[in-house]
Amino acid sequence: DIASLTDQLNEASQNGHETDKVKKRLQEELTQLEATTEDLQSELKTAENKNGRLQQDLTQLQTLRIQKKMENDLNEMEQQTSEAIRRYGEAQRAVRNLLSKTKELQAQLESTAQQNEELKEELNLASRRGAILSSELETLRSSLETTERNCKTAEKELQESRDKTELILSQNINLLNQKKKYEYDVEQLNQQVEKLVQEFRAEAENFRKAKNE
């Protein structure tokens, strides 16, 4: 019925996950409702025609019994006409509501489709950024490996330099010790030479004195 259809339409508007299926079903129900409306319009037109004929017959008939029956028939037809008009009005309102809900659903579908496109674009951007970051990460890994190799080489060279430095320091210490020893030896030799010179000078002075004498 119309109330059930309206409830189903409201529920379909709230649940956007089955939009395509719901839209198709609503279109089918709208088609059926339009067909029902056309039938009601036909019934209304038939009732109006029959009412007109009954009014003509009532005017023509003079017998009170027949007139009373015709009046009853006329009242019944008027009630049927009113009922048909009421049903037609309800059908028209249901059609308008259904069209309104269909438009809202279509708007939701378009909004959802736009959101999906935006999400796809964001996903594509994220994928491209991920690929760029992966490439940069791979480059950094390669650079890190090269740096680690260079560090190991530098550490090895530094250790070798330290070893050489320690060797040179040890050699310098030995040389300094030898230099000190040589300086001490030279100092001793200088003292011995100075002593010899003094002795030579004393001998020379004695010789000079002895020669003069």
Side-chain angles (χ1 to χ4, degrees):
D1 53 10
I2 295 175
S4 176
L5 179 60
T6 303
D7 292 338
Q8 293 177 8
L9 186 58
N10 291 331
E11 182 179 358
S13 299
Q14 296 174 358
N15 299 324
H17 298 292
E18 299 180 356
T19 52
D20 293 335
K21 183 178 179 181
V22 172
K23 181 180 178 183
K24 182 178 180 180
R25 180 170 62 82
L26 290 177
Q27 289 177 347
E28 293 176 354
E29 293 182 1
L30 177 61
T31 302
Q32 295 177 358
L33 191 56
E34 289 176 348
T36 302
T37 302
E38 291 178 358
D39 294 339
L40 290 175
Q41 289 177 343
S42 178
E43 291 180 6
L44 179 61
K45 184 175 181 180
T46 301
E48 290 175 350
N49 293 334
K50 188 174 181 180
N51 186 25
R53 289 196 301 271
L54 288 175
Q55 287 180 351
Q56 292 178 0
D57 293 340
L58 181 61
T59 302
Q60 294 175 358
L61 293 176
Q62 301 296 327
T63 304
L64 182 60
R65 182 176 61 81
I66 297 176
Q67 185 178 359
K68 186 66 175 177
K69 182 178 181 301
M70 295 299 295
E71 288 177 353
N72 292 334
D73 293 340
L74 179 60
N75 290 332
E76 182 180 355
M77 291 305 302
E78 287 178 350
Q79 293 177 0
Q80 293 178 356
T81 300
S82 297
E83 179 65 18
I85 292 173
R86 184 185 65 80
R87 290 173 59 191
Y88 177 74
E90 290 179 352
Q92 287 294 324
R93 287 192 296 273
V95 169
R96 287 193 295 270
N97 290 333
L98 185 59
L99 289 175
S100 177
K101 297 299 182 182
T102 302
K103 290 180 180 180
E104 293 177 359
L105 181 59
Q106 183 65 32
Q108 292 178 1
L109 285 174
E110 293 176 355
S111 177
T112 302
Q114 184 178 359
Q115 292 177 358
N116 289 336
E117 289 298 325
E118 293 175 354
L119 289 176
K120 288 180 180 179
E121 183 64 23
E122 291 179 0
L123 180 60
N124 291 333
L125 290 175
S127 297
R128 289 194 291 271
R129 290 175 59 188
I132 293 173
L133 290 176
S134 296
S135 177
E136 292 179 352
L137 179 60
E138 188 64 28
T139 302
L140 289 175
R141 285 177 179 173
S142 178
S143 299
L144 179 60
E145 291 176 356
T146 302
T147 303
E148 288 178 350
R149 289 194 298 269
N150 293 335
C151 286
K152 290 180 180 179
T153 302
E155 289 176 355
K156 183 178 180 181
E157 292 177 352
L158 178 61
Q159 186 62 39
E160 292 177 353
S161 298
R162 287 176 179 174
D163 295 339
K164 290 180 180 179
T165 301
E166 291 177 357
L167 179 61
I168 292 173
L169 288 175
S170 177
Q171 292 175 352
N172 287 337
I173 291 172
N174 292 331
L175 290 174
L176 286 174
N177 292 331
Q178 291 179 2
K179 179 182 179 183
K180 290 179 180 179
K181 184 178 181 300
Y182 291 153
E183 289 177 349
Y184 176 78
D185 292 340
V186 169
E187 182 66 23
Q188 293 297 319
L189 290 174
N190 287 332
Q191 291 177 1
Q192 292 177 4
V193 169
E194 183 64 26
K195 184 179 180 180
L196 291 173
V197 169
Q198 291 177 0
E199 291 177 354
F200 176 78
R201 287 177 179 176
E203 291 292 333
E205 182 65 23
N206 293 330
F207 176 77
R208 187 180 64 79
K209 288 179 179 181
K211 182 179 179 182
N212 291 331
E213 294 175 357

